Amino acid sequence: MKATIIGLGLIGGSLALDLKKRGFASRITGVEINRENGETALRRELVDELVSPEEGVKKGDLIIVAVPADAAINLLPAILSDSEGKTVVDMCSVKERIAIRLKDHINRREYVASHPMAGTEFSGPEAAFSGLFDGKTTIICDKNLSGKESLDVVKRMYSVLKMKIIYMDSSDHDIHAAFVSHISHISSFVLALTVLEKEKDEKRIFEMASGGFESTVRLAKSSAEMWVPVFDQNRENIRVVLRTYINKLNEFERLITEGQSDGLLSAIREANKIREILKDKLNITRL
Amino acid sequence: MKATIIGLGLIGGSLALDLKKRGFASRITGVEINRENGETALRRELVDELVSPEEGVKKGDLIIVAVPADAAINLLPAILSDSEGKTVVDMCSVKERIAIRLKDHINRREYVASHPMAGTEFSGPEAAFSGLFDGKTTIICDKNLSGKESLDVVKRMYSVLKMKIIYMDSSDHDIHAAFVSHISHISSFVLALTVLEKEKDEKRIFEMASGGFESTVRLAKSSAEMWVPVFDQNRENIRVVLRTYINKLNEFERLITEGQSDGLLSAIREANKIREILKDKLNITRL
């Protein structure tokens, strides 16, 4: 199978590595509008060649779109128009707007909507590595709208990437993603902003930063270019989660202000339940 | 040197392991009011014996207080009264209230206020391990109020634990701790509560949880018994940080709602500056 990967960042680059190495793709054609990233991808031998988007779509049996959500929503209709008899799959972390855009596309059945839940706080082809997807979960959305052949190709790809596939409609996907992924990024970005602002008059503030702080602000290193379009396309769901989060922070503040130790103890013990959930989740991931 | 450790949790237990193993203490006496934790500490041979608090203070040259902040503030005056010629050090993550409580104590110079920035999201003697403190930072507060001999003992102890010591007054400590530690815990506790609440009607919500979510909610596993007294004793500083955090979240929400992509891009790029700071910090820690 010949694969074309459009967008050679962390995701596209890591896909390229493992799809080639594990024999899924005999040839990988890359498309990358950022010249420096393209050169890095060639130097690291992530792809066999770099071509224009049009050429890329022609050359691949499978077209993998691994660009930020704003570029993806604009590119996908045109790519799909040129993809008769091929399979097109995207990797975006937000799905419903794209689903609506492609709903009535003549080649809709050649498109598979997917979202691999894998990544790091780094981006670009330099950050790509083999094994990024191993053991993680990927979501395939609205599978009934994809043709059997295309769905089979994508399922096979994710099986080669050692991912566990779950199925969901794109609207549910976006609600869930807002809760378990998008809000984590916002809480982390804003935490970083809060402490960075304080640093302006308290230079020593980071001397005390330890593992706990590092863990909660890790996601604040994430790429603006990737995340702004996600926040834009998942605006409604994110607002709901963010309102809930802010309300609960206000409530937590009230408990602290009023010295309500019992209320704080129960709230924290309730939050502690995340332990068991993460433990179960970890077990699932390790299977 | 004979050391007595009051409180055999993650911190007290890990101290016990390395102070003995590295030859700083020839004998370690333990004090633990929780019977089960006491038994675990004996079984794991963290301590040579378990005694009452009064007996423990008598037996040690160095008395290490490693209990939650509410117990510490109540115990310290009495311990210090019985500690003439000895050294007393505490490990609390909040320092000013204790400083005020001990300010006029007749044995104030035998007390050293410290806060090792080390820990995990786990607690209790079962979670204790050798090397917990290695390469991390510890803070000694109000060092001019401690006598030279006591200060030297504590500095030597932290050097055996391979910690980098920084000095600060207790009031600054509490402001800094609110920004780089206490708020991280609150943002994490509340994030867990937000998602756990959603799980009540969306059972599948955690299927999509990945490394990013895990990282931001890691601290939500932390012990309620340890954290409620910290929030209580550092209330004023925490409120300031929490207000800033909530205001910035509201502002971030406004940018999303209004579709202000440029504003979001700048905010995230500003937040990204945390990368360099954590990298520098990591280098410091590794020295």
Side-chain angles (χ1 to χ4, degrees):
Chain A
M1 145 123 23
K2 286 175 187 156
T4 292
I5 302 180
I6 302 180
L8 301 170
L10 168 69
I11 298 294
S14 301
L15 281 170
L17 278 171
D18 281 337
L19 295 182
K20 187 71 170 283
K21 191 166 139 186
R22 298 177 185 174
F24 178 83
S26 55
R27 185 169 181 83
I28 301 213
T29 297
V31 174
E32 174 56 62
I33 56 159
N34 178 304
R35 176 198 286 249
E36 199 183 324
N37 284 354
E39 282 165 7
T40 304
L42 280 179
R43 178 176 49 74
R44 291 196 62 196
E45 299 181 7
L46 303 178
V47 294
D48 296 301
E49 59 180 342
L50 273 184
V51 302
S52 69
E54 297 71 27
E55 192 71 6
V57 174
K58 262 187 220 142
K59 288 198 162 186
D61 307 310
L62 169 65
I63 321 296
I64 303 172
V65 178
V67 296
D70 52 345
I73 203 168
N74 290 326
L75 284 172
L76 276 165
I79 292 172
L80 203 50
S81 296
D82 292 338
S83 300
E84 216 180 304
K86 301 172 185 277
T87 295
V88 177
V89 63
D90 80 316
M91 306 279 130
C92 291
S93 4
V94 55
K95 307 256 56 109
E96 197 177 9
R97 294 264 185 108
I98 294 177
I100 294 167
R101 181 78 60 99
L102 297 179
K103 193 163 59 78
D104 300 320
H105 196 289
I106 188 165
N107 292 335
R108 173 63 185 84
R109 296 184 70 76
E110 272 141 8
Y111 164 68
V112 179
S114 89
H115 174 202
M117 300 294 298
T120 71
E121 65 274 34
F122 304 108
S123 47
E126 205 66 79
F129 65 95
S130 169
L132 171 63
F133 304 98
D134 290 11
K136 314 268 173 62
T137 296
T138 188
I139 298 106
I140 289 181
C141 291
D142 311 321
K143 72 168 174 169
N144 296 333
L145 301 181
S146 300
K148 188 179 176 314
E149 265 180 53
S150 288
L151 200 57
D152 282 347
V153 168
V154 173
K155 281 163 72 174
R156 208 146 35 80
M157 176 185 82
Y158 280 125
S159 141
V160 164
L161 294 171
K162 303 181 186 171
M163 298 194 85
K164 176 183 176 243
I165 303 176
I166 59 178
Y167 300 92
M168 220 176 258
D169 69 44
S170 48
S171 150
D172 278 349
H173 168 279
D174 286 3
I175 294 171
H176 289 211
F179 273 90
V180 298
S181 167
H182 305 170
I183 184 73
S184 291
H185 284 81
I186 295 172
S187 88
S188 201
F189 286 133
V190 177
L191 188 60
L193 290 173
T194 302
V195 187
L196 285 162
E197 182 180 85
K198 184 67 179 174
E199 198 208 12
K200 288 175 189 154
D201 48 71
E202 288 269 4
K203 294 292 165 209
R204 298 181 62 190
I205 200 95
F206 289 108
E207 282 185 1
M208 276 173 64
S210 69
F213 178 71
E214 215 172 314
S215 174
T216 35
V217 295
R218 182 169 74 83
L219 299 180
K221 303 181 206 167
S222 306
S223 146
E225 288 68 24
M226 181 194 155
W227 281 98
V228 172
V230 173
F231 297 154
D232 181 52
Q233 291 184 33
N234 203 19
R235 187 178 303 163
E236 289 74 18
N237 292 315
I238 288 174
R239 284 196 65 197
V240 173
V241 192
L242 203 43
R243 284 308 340 148
T244 312
Y245 184 55
I246 293 171
N247 288 341
K248 286 187 182 295
L249 283 167
N250 280 320
E251 167 66 11
F252 208 90
E253 191 204 354
R254 188 182 63 77
L255 293 173
I256 292 179
T257 306
E258 295 176 2
Q260 301 240 25
S261 301
D262 286 349
L264 284 171
L265 281 169
S266 337
I268 296 179
R269 283 183 192 136
E270 177 66 26
N272 285 167
K273 291 185 182 161
I274 206 75
R275 272 188 214 153
E276 294 313 305
I277 284 166
L278 291 178
K279 209 195 285 173
D280 291 350
K281 171 72 195 162
L282 234 61
N283 285 340
I284 290 168
T285 308
R286 280 187 188 140
L287 284 179
Chain B
M1 147 119 25
K2 286 173 187 157
T4 292
I5 302 180
I6 302 179
L8 301 170
L10 168 70
I11 298 293
S14 300
L15 281 169
L17 278 171
D18 280 337
L19 295 182
K20 186 71 171 283
K21 189 167 141 187
R22 298 177 186 174
F24 178 84
S26 56
R27 185 169 181 82
I28 301 212
T29 297
V31 174
E32 174 54 64
I33 57 160
N34 177 304
R35 176 198 286 250
E36 200 185 322
N37 284 354
E39 283 165 7
T40 304
L42 280 178
R43 177 177 49 75
R44 291 196 60 194
E45 299 181 7
L46 303 178
V47 294
D48 297 301
E49 59 179 344
L50 273 184
V51 302
S52 69
E54 298 71 27
E55 193 71 7
V57 174
K58 264 189 216 135
K59 289 198 161 184
D61 308 309
L62 169 64
I63 320 296
I64 303 172
V65 178
V67 296
D70 53 344
I73 203 167
N74 291 326
L75 284 173
L76 276 163
I79 293 172
L80 202 50
S81 296
D82 291 339
S83 300
E84 216 180 304
K86 301 172 184 279
T87 295
V88 177
V89 63
D90 79 315
M91 306 280 129
C92 291
S93 4
V94 54
K95 306 255 59 107
E96 196 176 11
R97 295 265 182 107
I98 295 177
I100 294 167
R101 181 77 61 98
L102 296 179
K103 191 163 60 77
D104 300 319
H105 196 290
I106 186 165
N107 291 334
R108 174 62 185 83
R109 296 185 69 76
E110 273 141 5
Y111 164 68
V112 179
S114 87
H115 173 202
M117 302 293 299
T120 72
E121 67 275 33
F122 304 108
S123 48
E126 205 67 79
F129 64 95
S130 169
L132 171 63
F133 304 97
D134 290 11
K136 313 268 173 65
T137 296
T138 188
I139 297 105
I140 290 181
C141 291
D142 312 320
K143 72 168 173 170
N144 296 334
L145 301 181
S146 300
K148 187 181 176 315
E149 265 179 55
S150 287
L151 199 57
D152 282 347
V153 168
V154 173
K155 282 162 74 175
R156 208 144 39 77
M157 175 185 82
Y158 280 125
S159 140
V160 164
L161 295 171
K162 304 183 184 171
M163 298 194 85
K164 176 183 176 240
I165 303 176
I166 59 178
Y167 300 92
M168 221 175 257
D169 70 43
S170 48
S171 151
D172 278 350
H173 168 278
D174 286 4
I175 294 171
H176 289 211
F179 273 90
V180 296
S181 167
H182 305 170
I183 183 73
S184 292
H185 284 80
I186 295 173
S187 86
S188 201
F189 286 133
V190 177
L191 188 61
L193 290 173
T194 302
V195 187
L196 284 162
E197 183 180 84
K198 184 68 179 175
E199 198 209 12
K200 287 175 191 154
D201 47 70
E202 288 269 4
K203 294 291 165 210
R204 298 180 63 190
I205 198 96
F206 288 108
E207 282 184 3
M208 276 173 63
S210 69
F213 178 71
E214 215 171 316
S215 175
T216 36
V217 295
R218 182 169 73 83
L219 298 180
K221 303 180 207 167
S222 306
S223 146
E225 287 68 25
M226 181 194 156
W227 280 99
V228 172
V230 172
F231 296 154
D232 182 52
Q233 291 184 34
N234 203 18
R235 186 179 304 165
E236 288 75 18
N237 292 316
I238 287 174
R239 284 195 64 198
V240 173
V241 191
L242 204 42
R243 285 304 345 146
T244 312
Y245 184 56
I246 293 171
N247 289 340
K248 286 186 183 297
L249 282 167
N250 281 319
E251 168 65 9
F252 208 91
E253 190 203 352
R254 189 182 63 76
L255 292 173
I256 292 178
T257 306
E258 295 176 0
Q260 301 241 22
S261 300
D262 286 349
L264 284 171
L265 280 169
S266 335
I268 295 180
R269 283 181 191 138
E270 177 67 25
N272 285 167
K273 291 185 181 161
I274 207 75
R275 274 187 213 152
E276 294 313 305
I277 284 166
L278 291 178
K279 210 195 284 171
D280 291 350
K281 171 72 195 161
L282 234 61
N283 286 339
I284 289 168
T285 309
R286 279 186 190 142
L287 284 179

